[in-house]
Amino acid sequence: RNGTSLMVHSQITPMPNIDFFLSGGLSLRQDDSPNARSSLTTDFYARDLTRNLSAGVTARPWSKWTIKGTIAWTNNFSNLDLYKYQKLDSSISVRRDF
């Protein structure tokens, strides 16, 4: 399998306790052997292009506490229908450092 990826991340901190971030990426995957992900009887090479984008905010409201909210979108194009997908995820995490 051959893979090539590019990822970009940016973050700004407008106030000492708040960060905003934005990340995006592209990933190209190409199988280097026929039928690596398919049991077809003819030689078939799978190829995927995955795009993702995420954005969020990190807040530190109290000493040793972090609250982070993220929303992420992923879209995978594939020449095999089984591997095509699109998803949207969101999360909120609360962390305490010891």
Side-chain angles (χ1 to χ4, degrees):
R1 163 183 355 174
N2 295 316
T4 304
S5 298
L6 173 67
M7 180 73 157
V8 178
H9 180 83
S10 179
Q11 177 178 313
I12 60 170
T13 305
M15 293 182 276
N17 293 331
I18 297 179
D19 305 322
F20 292 95
F21 62 89
L22 180 65
S23 297
L26 291 172
S27 179
L28 178 62
R29 171 187 166 166
Q30 187 165 343
D31 292 329
D32 55 3
S33 62
N35 305 325
R37 289 186 279 166
S38 174
S39 60
L40 299 173
T41 57
T42 59
D43 289 345
F44 185 82
Y45 294 85
R47 289 180 306 279
D48 290 32
L49 174 64
T50 305
R51 301 181 304 175
N52 57 51
L53 183 65
S54 63
V57 63
T58 303
R60 292 169 296 283
W62 310 284
S63 175
K64 299 185 179 183
W65 285 90
T66 303
I67 301 171
K68 182 178 181 180
T70 304
I71 187 162
W73 170 79
T74 304
N75 191 357
N76 190 68
F77 297 100
S78 179
N79 62 340
L80 289 172
D81 285 339
L82 179 64
Y83 294 98
K84 292 179 184 178
Y85 66 89
Q86 181 171 306
K87 66 180 181 175
L88 184 63
D89 293 318
S90 62
S91 66
I92 296 176
S93 61
V94 178
R95 183 179 83 190
R96 169 114 171 38
D97 295 324
F98 295 93

